[in-house]
Amino acid sequence: MAPFILINLLKMLRNKQIKKIPKKTLFDLATIFKYEKFIKFENKILISIHAPPYPSKAFDRFLEAGIKAKEGINIPVIVNFAVTHQCRYHCWHCSASPKKGKDLPLKTIVDTIQKFQEIGTCTFSITGGEPLLREDLVEIIASIDDRSSVFMFTSGDGLTEEKAKELKDAGLLGVMISLDHYKPEIHDNLRGYDRAYDILIKGLKNAQKANLYVGLSCVITKDILKNNEVLKLLEIAKNLSVQEIMMFEPTPVGELFNTDNCVLSIDERKQLIEFHKQINKNRKYKNYPKVSVFPYFESKEVLGCNAGYNLAYIDADGNIRPCDFTPLIFGNIQEEPIENLWQKMNCMFNKPRDFCFMLENHKLVRQIGNGEDPLSYKKSLEVCKKCPSSKIPMFYKKLGIK
């Protein structure tokens, strides 16, 4: 481990919130994350884009939220916010499909962000559609003060050198740019847009010029695993000098709502999890980007599924949902106060789960929804009442949550 990171990890142990956690618990939690790679960025440490960098006010609030969770107080620690329906692409796996309706007014978005910050949110992920197609995106980013860190998920469409600098100056910490395949022509086809790969590369380089934290976001298919092409995606990430490559698995939502063929098998998921462990801890890959595999984080041995528990998603219509990949709605920010919406949803998701909610319950969601995407509030409640209970994942079990 690099001296800078080691020194700062030792300093972290002196944090007043961390001191409230028993030493044995800290040891257990550290053991759970033994397959993580810590990243130095701008004289700070990033553990994950879903956790604020250390040291920062946002990181202190992140620790405080963990203490409150142990006390039974659930806070929307992470909020993913879709700020627009607009997108020129037609991606095969898009979870935001179908695209409809008018975009939310700037004031509604800013007021909602500020309210989330007041109740404890310490990480925002800005999504869409394509967020860069919103003309007032810089104002949205600038409305998030230092109580929270902010990332953006993007295709790179519209990420000019000037825009990247403006977003950096407004407070954006980094971008996760979508890569569907290491071959440009296949990437373009999967994105449903000519030159999508070229646009990605240009946007990525502009983000790096602006000194943003840059990662690649990939959806890993059965074919990619079958053909052992995950390593090729990693090589692309290394050649592009990004800090991180994030790997999701396909989820039957949005464009994939009515199909099960995309869902990875248990063995395929294990294969992807092993990739996370090997790359992050094998010294052979020490100069490669950090690998963040979502099936690893969402496994019962680590964090499990936090949808609706300490994670909230606001879609482009203003509906509050447990996460980007769960088509259940619990009200709208244009009609009810955030506190009420969070309470309505969180009482249905008051514990972390040991497996992805949607992957476990997608057939039930389809059955009750009967073609709706997303489901109405009434049907969302019906799904929650009928879905099976879940065990507490290891991280939260060690933290003392029962």
Side-chain angles (χ1 to χ4, degrees):
M1 186 178 291
F4 172 87
I5 293 177
L6 181 59
I7 290 169
N8 279 277
L9 287 175
L10 291 173
K11 287 181 180 178
M12 195 186 299
L13 293 174
R14 297 199 294 268
N15 182 283
K16 64 180 181 180
Q17 296 295 344
I18 287 184
K19 284 183 176 180
K20 296 179 182 179
I21 303 173
K23 290 182 180 179
K24 183 182 184 306
T25 302
L26 280 176
F27 178 80
D28 290 340
L29 296 180
T31 301
I32 290 170
F33 291 106
K34 63 184 176 182
Y35 295 111
E36 282 310 291
K37 181 184 287 188
F38 300 101
I39 302 296
K40 177 185 176 182
F41 182 71
E42 293 188 327
N43 289 318
K44 294 185 178 182
I45 298 174
L46 261 77
I47 302 170
S48 162
I49 69 161
H50 296 298
Y54 171 83
S56 68
K57 183 185 291 186
F59 183 84
D60 291 343
R61 281 160 51 90
F62 178 75
L63 292 176
E64 184 180 351
I67 299 296
K68 288 183 177 179
K70 187 178 179 181
E71 298 169 354
I73 303 170
N74 300 337
I75 293 171
V77 177
I78 304 166
V79 172
N80 298 339
F81 208 134
V83 296
T84 183
H85 294 92
Q86 300 176 68
C87 187
R88 285 190 270 260
Y89 294 11
H90 296 89
C91 303
W92 69 278
H93 54 66
C94 182
S95 62
S97 178
K99 304 175 181 70
K100 59 183 179 181
K102 293 182 179 180
D103 288 347
L104 296 167
L106 175 62
K107 186 177 187 307
T108 300
I109 293 176
V110 170
D111 287 350
T112 301
I113 285 172
Q114 291 176 350
K115 182 57 67 176
F116 269 123
Q117 285 199 290
E118 287 172 13
I119 61 178
T121 298
C122 45
T123 300
F124 286 94
S125 292
I126 303 301
T127 71
E130 173 47 67
L132 286 161
L133 296 183
R134 256 199 95 115
E135 294 182 357
D136 53 10
L137 179 62
V138 172
E139 289 92 325
I140 292 172
I141 301 296
S143 72
I144 303 171
D145 62 39
D146 64 355
R147 290 176 294 174
S148 311
S149 61
V150 56
F151 269 84
M152 179 173 69
F153 283 80
T154 174
S155 65
D157 185 17
L159 192 55
T160 63
E161 188 172 346
E162 180 183 9
K163 179 64 71 176
K165 186 179 184 304
E166 288 178 345
L167 291 169
K168 174 71 175 181
D169 291 343
L172 185 67
L173 181 60
V175 292
M176 298 301 297
I177 305 179
S178 302
L179 174 68
D180 280 341
H181 205 275
Y182 61 92
K183 291 183 178 179
E185 65 276 13
I186 297 180
H187 175 83
D188 291 357
N189 183 57
L190 292 171
R191 294 255 132 189
Y193 196 79
D194 290 340
R195 300 183 305 103
Y197 190 88
D198 292 339
I199 291 169
L200 178 161
I201 298 300
K202 289 178 182 177
L204 185 150
K205 291 181 178 178
N206 288 333
Q208 289 173 330
K209 289 177 184 177
N211 200 30
L212 288 163
Y213 182 95
V214 180
L216 291 174
S217 171
C218 309
V219 176
I220 306 300
T221 64
K222 289 175 174 288
D223 285 341
I224 288 176
L225 288 169
K226 180 180 178 181
N227 298 324
N228 293 317
E229 293 177 326
V230 183
L231 194 55
K232 291 182 180 179
L233 290 171
L234 181 64
E235 291 290 349
I236 287 283
K238 181 178 183 293
N239 292 338
L240 291 172
S241 300
V242 302
Q243 279 100 346
E244 182 173 355
I245 180 166
M246 184 172 286
M247 297 182 175
F248 296 88
E249 59 184 312
T251 308
V253 65
E255 292 288 351
L256 300 175
F257 188 69
N258 292 308
T259 179
D260 296 334
N261 296 333
C262 64
V263 179
L264 300 185
S265 68
I266 293 175
D267 287 341
E268 288 166 336
R269 195 171 290 115
K270 285 181 178 178
Q271 182 182 343
L272 201 49
I273 289 171
E274 283 305 310
F275 185 79
H276 174 108
K277 294 178 179 179
Q278 291 173 15
I279 301 302
N280 283 342
K281 281 303 175 184
N282 191 330
R283 288 188 59 80
K284 175 183 176 181
Y285 298 103
K286 67 177 182 178
N287 294 322
Y288 280 68
K290 170 187 174 69
V291 172
S292 296
V293 168
F294 257 66
Y296 167 77
F297 292 120
E298 291 190 332
S299 67
K300 63 183 179 182
E301 290 81 12
V302 190
L303 291 170
C305 175
N306 290 191
Y309 170 67
N310 61 20
L311 166 67
Y313 170 56
I314 307 298
D315 68 24
D317 291 312
N319 299 311
I320 188 168
R321 293 156 61 170
C323 81
D324 314 41
F325 306 105
T326 307
L328 310 181
I329 64 172
F330 293 86
N332 193 286
I333 62 173
Q334 300 177 96
E335 299 168 0
E336 295 181 67
I338 285 299
E339 296 93 336
N340 292 4
L341 296 173
W342 172 249
Q343 186 176 20
K344 282 165 60 177
M345 182 171 71
N346 187 241
C347 71
M348 294 288 107
F349 292 84
N350 61 353
K351 300 288 183 184
R353 302 177 66 87
D354 66 359
F355 189 63
C356 170
F357 178 89
M358 190 59 183
L359 286 173
E360 186 174 32
N361 296 290
H362 61 275
K363 292 181 181 179
L364 177 64
V365 170
R366 277 205 300 264
Q367 177 189 342
I368 292 176
N370 194 26
E372 287 187 22
D373 180 19
L375 278 63
S376 66
Y377 174 50
K378 181 179 179 181
K379 290 184 177 180
S380 297
L381 289 178
E382 187 178 350
V383 169
C384 291
K385 290 173 182 178
K386 290 186 177 180
C387 70
S389 59
S390 177
K391 294 181 179 179
I392 302 296
M394 188 60 66
F395 174 82
Y396 292 99
K397 189 181 294 184
K398 295 296 185 183
L399 197 58
I401 294 171
K402 301 177 181 179

